[in-house]
Amino acid sequence: MSNNNPQTQHWQDLSSAHHLAPFSDYTQLKNKGPRIITKADGVYLWDSEGHKILDGMAGLWCVAIGYGREELVQAASAQMRELPYYNLFFQTAHPPALELAKAIADLAPEGMNHVFFTGSGSEGNDTVLRLVRHYWALKGKPEKKVIISRVNGYHGSTVAGASLGGMPGMHEQGDLPIPGIVHIAQPYWFDEGGDMSPDEFGVWAAEQLENKILEVGEDNVAAFIAEPIQGAGGVIIPPDTYWPKVKEVLARYDILFVADEVICGFGRTGHWFGSDYYDLAPDLMTIAKGLTSGYIPMGGVIVRDEVVNVINQGGDFNHGFTYSGHPVAAAVGLENLRILRDEHIVDNVRAEAAPYLQKRLRELLDHPLVGEVRGLGMLGAIELVKDKATRSRHEGRGAGMICRQFCFDNGLIMRAVGDTMIIAPPLVISHAEIDELVSKARLCLDLTLEALGG
Ligand SMILES: *Cc1c(COP(=O)(O)O)cnc(C)c1O
């Protein structure tokens, strides 16, 4: 693609000369250069060439209230003037972090009243690993160390986050997972359900948790960690039988349950947390992304009272980050939560936006390339297939990548996970913008089908 704006080339040159990008194909990036995003408003982005793009991914799942909210800018600048930085180490604290902890506790499930702040979701899951092991050690069971996670789960990109996650491509690089983390099957019926019905498969996948607990030994297991809905794995909505059965298993064994709410938290499912939607009653919840609508980095872990009571008797917890509870991030988070609450955004997702998005998305099921459309709240997935009945793929053709490129070129950001197209638009997307998203998606499915040879 040739550039209209000479600045584009300048920035692409800087990219190739000086920047190492996260999660990018380096060979491709070197040849082609990145698309340069220069501004945003509402649900739209603009690139340096002046193209307007509907952001069907809310950035990376995070821009819940949409771009361009002046209130968050004001909150950040006011806090920068008052107290731009101080830490929460060594018996100090500051008002924004404490006010935000209270605001989060007010929204969290019953009995979860404390927050440990971090700079990101990955740091949140590192904190989870440290915290759950510390908890069991204090309870006199230091051998309870193993954390059970799921294949194709995503829990971040630090060493603990990537280890807890079940992404083979991430494990290959850097000799992961670290010891003490084991993985079980994911509840991904479309790709892995075989001849089972979704309900049968959901029970089977939940039973893998019990099998693993028995294999490792209950006395060695600290926790099970899972996203209520796997996001980066491909917006995998578990079969209806999955979570009820997992809850049954968890009730039989003395292990902690960690819900990674980094995507599901703060309204994405039409409830404050995915754990509310599925009634999961976790012991810990990892949060980030929607907490600040991505305007500034922040994450954390919400911890159940019972766990807090134990660690409160344990003296030092030797863990924390320079930017834990950063005052500017906390001020932005507080204002973001105020907007989500006062503008009834989560209620509106549940009552209006999500039902409309889900209804419109499912219309794509009549497309010859589409084997399944699934979704919940403001999350959606479209499975690209060769044969609808057998759920077989256009093997080795890169259908997802082809579709993603057509989307980009036609003013829509949809992400591809293999041959699964996924969306997670800002929670504030209007019906007219949903119409635009769905019609652009259909156009790009047509173009993809054509490129694959019909
Ligand atoms: C994005 C994500 C993380 C990691 O958060 P970062 O802020 O990128 O470190 C962890 N868990 C889930 C479920 C995520 O989607």
Side-chain angles (χ1 to χ4, degrees), residues 268-319:
R268 184 128 313 261
T269 65
H271 300 259
W272 280 100
F273 296 95
S275 294
D276 297 329
Y277 178 80
Y278 287 116
D279 191 23
L280 299 182
D283 300 297
L284 301 97
M285 299 200 303
T286 318
I287 54 173
K289 296 192 172 124
L291 170 61
T292 55
S293 279
Y295 279 55
I296 198 161
M298 181 173 235
V301 184
I302 314 177
V303 185
R304 185 166 290 284
D305 298 349
E306 208 179 299
V307 176
V308 173
N309 291 341
V310 170
I311 59 177
N312 269 345
Q313 286 155 32
D316 273 332
F317 181 40
N318 297 314
H319 174 69

Side-chain angles (χ1 to χ4, degrees), residues 186-207:
Q186 58 176 333
Y188 185 17
W189 174 80
F190 191 83
D191 254 12
E192 298 175 6
D195 294 333
M196 281 186 255
S197 71
D199 280 355
E200 287 166 349
F201 180 71
V203 170
W204 177 86
E207 283 167 356

Side-chain angles (χ1 to χ4, degrees), residues 331-382:
V332 170
L334 263 174
E335 185 61 11
N336 178 60
L337 296 187
R338 186 197 65 72
I339 289 172
L340 283 171
R341 226 177 20 233
D342 289 1
E343 297 183 7
H344 308 289
I345 291 171
V346 182
D347 295 331
N348 188 63
V349 163
R350 187 169 62 245
E352 301 283 342
Y356 189 70
L357 174 71
Q358 297 303 334
K359 171 174 112 25
R360 295 285 345 253
L361 269 185
R362 277 166 183 70
E363 292 169 15
L364 297 171
L365 197 51
D366 67 5
H367 195 279
L369 198 51
V370 175
E372 180 178 82
V373 179
R374 60 175 178 268
L376 182 74
M378 303 307 277
L379 289 164
I382 302 164

